[in-house]
Amino acid sequence: MTRLLRNPIGWAGLLIVVVLACASTLSIIPETSQALVVRMGKPDRVVNRYRPGQGFGGDGAGLLAHIPLVEQVVVIDKRVRDIDMERQPVLSTDQLRLEVDAFARYRITDPLRMYLAARGDERRVGEALKPILGSALRNELGRRPFAALLTPERDTAMRNIRDALNRIAAQYGAQIVDVRINRAELPDGTPLDSAFERMRSARRQQAMTIRAEGMKQAAILRGQADADASRIYADAFGKDPDFYDFYRSMQSYRAAFAPDGENIGGTTLVLSPNSAYFRNFINKGK
Amino acid sequence: MIEDLARRGRGDPRAPARLGDPASLSNGQRWGDDDPEGGKSNPWSGNGRGGRRGRPGQPSLEELIRLGRGRFGGRLPGGGARPIWGYALAAFVLLWLLTTSFHQIDPQERGVITRFGRYQGTLGPGVGLTMPAPVDVVTRVNVDQIASFDVPGSGGQNLVLTGDQNIIDLAYSVRWSVRDPELYLFELAQPEDTIREVAESAMREEVSRVTLDEAIGPMRSQIESRVAARMQALLDRYRAGVTIEGVAIKQADPPEAVNDAFKEVSAAQQQAQSFLNNARAYSEQVEASASAAAAAFDKVYDAYRLAPEVTRKRMYYETMEAVLARNDKVIVDTPGSPTVLPLPGLKPRGRAVDGEPPTITVAPAPVTRGGGQ
């Protein structure tokens, strides 16, 4: 033996022996896990169990000593895990169909119970809870009208689903942290198409309203302008209506008989020498 | 079998093959050939067998050592082997310690130390010293880097129901960073998936609180900030150790299927606008011309008031001049004379009835009336 230890290979061998011995008696429990020690098939103790609000670096995680072959260590996740529910059709009370997809988050709080119910396999817990989440969701949402699913009442619905699910989850040593509706959509096909059609017709109506409103505003503007103009005229011309009559008639004659830039003639005027224009012309000549 | 192996290992002459003999080692086939049992008598496989029989590792390990001794001892001069091995081992250990105990943490990183899985502390930026590798493991977490993801992940539509039961096509991105590396590492099984799901859930919930028009237009920034706040609250409840840096709505459009109807609305808006523009142009024009006429009248009237009679006369004559100068004139002396005039060059115009030319008499009325004043 002394000869053996003098040889580096001997040291290496000893090291391997020590490592093997450690490997069979010590297990590493990471912060993210809790462990259940099962002695000869009988659950014995829980290490690094989840406690609410617990910090990291406590006594639980790290090396765990156990008796080789006699004690088995079942490592169970301590983190928040999620269950993604398959898309579910939900019929609301007003007979509208919705495709709902939700997720739940849970964590194992009682490893012993979880070991007994699901033999220490987290996936089994998830699989057991998944259909229950689906039915809880359908039950809860089916009691509401469609519109309620789109309103903040959703919060209450989700709380109810969470509570319902929690009762089942407790049997698996799990606790539901949260349930959320991820998507609530109209199913493809007729419901979606009719929703689109409704949106389209609403838009068309809106377009017509906008156009009509535009026309109305335009007419009002024009009328207002005409009114303003006539007020301006009245203000100006009202100062002397008699003179305005004369002034305007003069303008009118010019416009009617001698428009600017037009060629001469077109109208033959038959005048009487007695007319006012010829007053001086004729009388003076007499 | 164990005895047999042991005998062989010790170099017993009765052993079927002399394992210590370099010659026998160089030809591996001979082990199998010489074995009377026909199985593998390879000393390495013997290790496995020994383990299976309940005494893990013991005989084969011994053998392994002997084998090694025989092998190297036979080749190297007895004294020289140890120092080389010692140095090699020392160098290896040193290298191992250096590479696994010293950790250079970049400024944007934190190194979370776990000792046999248990949280031991967090290394800040700089060089940190820990126990060597299998004992202490350092996980680097980038706390400054802002990660982001898009919803929907790859193109396509992301239809979301609004509060007025309409549908909107929404694309947005979420930026987040790690705030607390320990929580981030230890609390959630799938942190990134969780953040994604929380984003989607929060966005759909917030959009369901507003109408379609609000979601498309004015409420966008409010929705963004509300979704960010909601996500933060949910993730804090999960103790995710994550900060939501921001939510940005990149696109909030009506779905493709109804896009034409929406375009119609904007076309109608344009049309309405153009109606209004035309009306405004008209009203400006009307008012301008009214003002112009009024202003012109005011000027003339000011002049008129200075000398009413003269101005009136002047205007009358000027107008008559202009009118008469530009038109043909016929002066008929006798009031009772026939007005059917076969005058040359007279072209019947306008609504002449029965060949009667339009007869216009210049009304002297204004002037007489004005003169009477």
Side-chain angles (χ1 to χ4, degrees):
Chain A
M1 201 60 188
T2 45
R3 247 179 50 195
L4 217 147
L5 288 181
R6 247 185 269 130
N7 192 309
I9 309 254
W11 279 105
L14 202 68
L15 199 71
I16 291 170
V17 172
V18 169
V19 166
L20 284 176
C22 287
S24 57
T25 55
L26 293 173
S27 294
I28 289 175
I29 309 299
E31 282 292 344
T32 55
S33 299
Q34 38 199 342
L36 178 70
V37 179
V38 182
R39 179 178 293 168
M40 304 297 280
K42 187 170 150 263
D44 185 62
R45 60 191 189 275
V46 174
V47 181
N48 199 30
R49 183 180 173 158
Y50 170 75
R51 277 181 221 90
Q54 174 193 43
F56 301 110
D59 295 334
L63 287 179
L64 168 67
H66 57 93
I67 307 161
L69 300 176
V70 176
E71 289 183 337
Q72 279 176 300
V73 178
V74 181
V75 177
I76 292 166
D77 206 334
K78 195 180 168 183
R79 296 175 295 185
V80 176
R81 302 177 59 87
D82 55 354
I83 318 168
D84 274 318
M85 198 194 68
E86 305 282 311
R87 225 168 232 235
Q88 297 259 350
V90 171
L91 200 65
S92 61
T93 47
D94 42 355
Q95 305 300 307
L96 278 167
R97 282 167 76 85
L98 262 187
E99 297 269 327
V100 176
D101 122 19
F103 64 84
R105 314 218 155 260
Y106 71 97
R107 76 159 92 225
I108 310 289
T109 50
D110 187 346
L112 176 58
R113 193 173 275 273
M114 187 271 196
Y115 176 72
L116 295 175
R119 287 206 241 126
D121 190 348
E122 292 93 359
R123 268 174 310 172
R124 280 178 202 236
V125 178
E127 260 147 45
L129 291 178
K130 208 184 247 190
I132 298 159
L133 172 62
S135 68
L137 196 78
R138 258 196 315 259
N139 288 346
E140 187 59 37
L141 299 187
R143 266 189 265 143
R144 286 156 207 276
F146 179 80
L149 299 179
L150 301 172
T151 60
E153 206 187 323
R154 224 150 96 145
D155 280 350
T156 340
M158 285 191 272
R159 249 197 310 278
N160 290 347
I161 296 166
R162 189 188 65 197
D163 293 345
L165 200 57
N166 230 341
R167 279 192 287 278
I168 315 290
Q171 296 169 3
Y172 289 92
Q175 187 193 30
I176 304 295
V177 179
D178 199 11
V179 175
R180 318 238 108 231
I181 296 173
N182 212 350
R183 302 155 153 260
E185 286 182 355
L186 293 167
D188 283 347
T190 325
L192 194 61
D193 289 344
S194 56
F196 283 155
E197 189 46 50
R198 182 170 48 74
M199 287 174 76
R200 250 179 249 133
S201 56
R203 291 293 134 175
R204 264 181 233 126
Q205 183 208 326
Q206 196 185 348
M208 279 178 202
T209 315
I210 289 170
R211 225 174 278 133
E213 182 65 22
M215 283 180 188
K216 183 182 133 192
Q217 293 297 335
I220 290 173
L221 268 177
R222 281 168 197 272
Q224 185 62 50
D226 288 339
D228 286 351
S230 89
R231 190 172 39 75
I232 292 169
Y233 287 130
D235 282 353
F237 305 147
K239 281 182 279 196
D240 188 343
D242 187 53
F243 176 66
Y244 173 69
D245 185 34
F246 170 71
Y247 168 80
R248 190 68 185 80
S249 68
M250 291 300 115
Q251 279 187 334
S252 193
Y253 297 149
R254 272 177 196 266
F257 301 113
D260 291 336
E262 289 272 317
N263 289 331
I264 293 174
T267 312
T268 302
L269 302 169
V270 179
L271 304 170
S272 160
N274 298 327
S275 74
Y277 183 65
F278 293 116
R279 207 174 25 155
N280 296 327
F281 192 49
I282 293 168
N283 289 351
K284 288 280 156 70
K286 270 187 186 170
Chain B
M1 185 61 201
I2 294 165
E3 267 177 65
D4 187 36
L5 281 167
R7 258 191 287 145
R8 270 200 254 166
R10 284 188 206 102
D12 195 310
R14 282 171 299 166
R18 287 182 55 86
L19 291 164
D21 184 0
S24 76
L25 272 172
S26 66
N27 189 350
Q29 275 184 321
R30 275 187 59 196
W31 296 338
D33 294 342
D34 288 356
D35 193 343
E37 288 171 43
K40 283 185 247 163
S41 64
N42 185 326
W44 303 100
S45 73
N47 187 359
R49 284 190 205 183
R52 259 180 271 139
R53 286 179 194 205
R55 287 187 40 171
Q58 285 291 42
S60 58
L61 194 68
E62 212 174 311
E63 200 176 342
L64 191 137
I65 294 159
R66 270 164 197 285
L67 172 72
R69 219 153 57 102
R71 189 174 177 179
F72 296 106
R75 276 184 187 164
L76 296 162
R82 239 222 251 127
I84 290 174
W85 269 94
Y87 289 136
L89 197 71
F92 175 72
V93 168
L94 201 68
L95 202 68
W96 172 52
L97 287 175
L98 276 176
T99 51
T100 61
S101 301
F102 288 94
H103 302 275
Q104 194 192 327
I105 307 293
D106 290 343
Q108 73 277 12
E109 288 179 332
R110 300 289 178 275
V112 176
I113 313 164
T114 46
R115 179 164 301 164
F116 292 122
R118 180 204 294 185
Y119 173 66
Q120 200 64 37
T122 304
L123 292 176
V127 174
L129 195 62
T130 64
M131 303 264 276
V135 180
D136 278 4
V137 173
V138 173
T139 313
R140 287 152 185 269
V141 179
N142 195 327
V143 290
D144 281 345
Q145 181 189 307
I146 294 175
S148 74
F149 59 86
D150 291 339
V151 180
S154 52
Q157 291 195 87
N158 179 35
L159 301 181
V160 182
L161 273 169
T162 60
D164 50 357
Q165 305 188 19
N166 284 316
I167 297 161
I168 182 175
D169 182 12
L170 206 62
Y172 54 95
S173 64
V174 177
R175 286 171 297 118
W176 59 277
S177 64
V178 176
R179 181 187 55 210
D180 189 327
E182 298 98 60
L183 289 177
Y184 180 71
L185 286 179
F186 301 140
E187 277 291 333
L188 294 183
Q190 293 115 345
E192 297 192 11
D193 288 352
T194 303
I195 297 166
R196 232 169 203 288
E197 274 166 2
V198 165
E200 212 165 322
S201 166
M203 178 57 84
R204 282 171 184 274
E205 194 169 338
E206 287 306 332
V207 170
S208 76
R209 285 170 200 265
V210 299
T211 65
L212 174 81
D213 290 335
E214 286 170 338
I216 286 176
M219 294 282 277
R220 265 163 88 142
S221 60
Q222 261 162 294
I223 293 173
E224 285 172 353
S225 59
R226 276 198 224 153
V227 168
R230 185 149 194 90
M231 284 186 71
Q232 189 65 64
L234 284 170
L235 289 169
D236 286 349
R237 204 202 293 172
Y238 301 159
R239 308 218 308 155
V242 160
T243 303
I244 298 300
E245 303 282 350
V247 175
I249 296 178
K250 293 188 296 185
Q251 177 205 332
D253 288 340
E256 261 173 59
V258 296
N259 226 351
D260 286 347
F262 275 77
K263 281 184 192 152
E264 213 176 298
V265 172
S266 52
Q269 277 163 348
Q270 304 289 334
Q271 258 178 309
Q273 204 56 49
S274 74
F275 291 152
L276 286 179
N277 289 343
N278 289 343
R280 266 186 218 113
Y282 168 81
S283 72
E284 261 157 40
Q285 189 208 325
V286 163
E287 278 174 34
S289 70
S291 304
F297 177 77
D298 280 349
K299 294 278 172 217
V300 174
Y301 184 63
D302 286 348
Y304 166 77
R305 275 206 306 193
L306 293 177
E309 194 54 37
V310 172
T311 308
R312 194 181 264 267
K313 287 246 157 77
R314 178 180 55 78
M315 285 172 72
Y316 174 73
Y317 287 122
E318 274 171 13
T319 307
M320 290 307 287
E321 247 170 57
V323 169
L324 293 177
R326 286 184 165 225
N327 292 289
D328 300 327
K329 303 155 282 281
V330 176
I331 302 170
V332 179
D333 203 0
T334 323
S337 72
T339 48
V340 185
L341 303 168
L343 294 169
L346 180 69
K347 298 167 279 174
R349 293 205 330 159
R351 288 179 295 137
V353 194
D354 300 332
E356 207 177 38
T359 308
I360 289 109
T361 333
V362 174
V367 108
T368 43
R369 246 208 289 163
Q373 264 180 355

